[in-house]
Amino acid sequence: MLRIFVFALCLCLAGQLSAAVTLTFDELPDVTATLPSYITGVTTASIVDDFIFTNVASNPVNSGLQTYGSGSQRYAGSASLAPLFPNSTTTLARLDGAAFDLLSIDIADLTQVNPDVTFSNFAFSGVKSVGGTVSETVPTFTVGQGEFETINLTMLTQVTSVTWGQLSPFHQFDNVTVSAVPEPTSLAFLGVGLGVAGVRRARRKHLQDAVV
């Protein structure tokens, strides 16, 4: 019975180590007019699945995020978020302040005017949960009109926030894939579970050797 409990516990905690979720903006208010709907304010945020997106511009009155839905001329095939103005930064964090991994993000051209748009030096900066920062830059990628390009990331792990800028050409984003990082107590429970399993295995082997 104990072995079954330990096995179930390990499976549960192992799942926490690799559980990933994709944040989408399909539930945000759709855009039915030609111009996007604006969400303004210095600390204005969009909350999706316990994660929060905020945007801050060099001029505080221009801070905010805008939503693009199927009714917008800038719709790129999927509901998205975009910074309200250039010269701003967007930050992603968990509502509870806990650590997470940023695994990928879909990027599209904001204007949807040119057939192909090339982005260069798309930079992300993360704050590590153990202190310090980490950065990752995507040198170049091209997106077509009405398309999103998936940007896979490998270095933004165990961070409490990730920030990136509004570049030229301007961008919109969707399908942000993140993975939760378990709390230290969860890792401790996993270690205890594995330790108990190891002790019982060693004890069983000892008894078998004694019988022989």
Side-chain angles (χ1 to χ4, degrees), residues 171-212:
H171 76 284
Q172 53 185 303
F173 59 92
D174 188 24
N175 297 325
V176 182
T177 302
V178 293
S179 180
V181 176
E183 297 294 330
T185 52
S186 296
L187 293 175
F189 278 126
L190 178 60
V192 170
L194 294 176
V196 170
V199 168
R200 287 186 59 84
R201 183 179 302 170
R203 182 177 299 171
R204 184 170 61 250
K205 183 177 187 302
H206 176 73
L207 292 175
Q208 290 174 347
D209 291 343
V211 172
V212 173

Side-chain angles (χ1 to χ4, degrees), residues 96-118:
D96 59 7
F100 64 96
D101 302 337
L102 176 57
L103 305 177
S104 67
I105 184 172
D106 287 359
I107 300 294
D109 175 39
L110 181 63
T111 62
Q112 295 297 298
V113 173
N114 300 312
D116 294 296
V117 173
T118 299

Side-chain angles (χ1 to χ4, degrees), residues 69-121:
S70 58
S72 173
Q73 291 181 338
R74 298 181 178 182
Y75 182 68
S78 179
S80 67
L81 275 184
L84 187 61
F85 278 95
N87 300 319
S88 67
T89 57
T90 299
T91 299
L92 168 65
R94 280 176 56 167
L95 284 173
D96 59 7
F100 64 96
D101 302 337
L102 176 57
L103 305 177
S104 67
I105 184 172
D106 287 359
I107 300 294
D109 175 39
L110 181 63
T111 62
Q112 295 297 298
V113 173
N114 300 312
D116 294 296
V117 173
T118 299
F119 290 85
S120 299
N121 298 320

Side-chain angles (χ1 to χ4, degrees), residues 52-76:
I52 182 169
F53 295 85
T54 57
N55 178 269
V56 177
S58 55
N59 183 346
V61 299
N62 293 334
S63 299
L65 294 164
Q66 51 194 339
T67 61
Y68 289 98
S70 58
S72 173
Q73 291 181 338
R74 298 181 178 182
Y75 182 68

Side-chain angles (χ1 to χ4, degrees), residues 107-109 114-122 138-145 147-151 169:
I107 300 294
D109 175 39
N114 300 312
D116 294 296
V117 173
T118 299
F119 290 85
S120 299
N121 298 320
F122 205 117
V138 182
T140 182
F141 61 94
T142 300
V143 297
Q145 187 176 23
E147 297 178 356
F148 279 90
E149 179 73 15
T150 299
I151 307 302

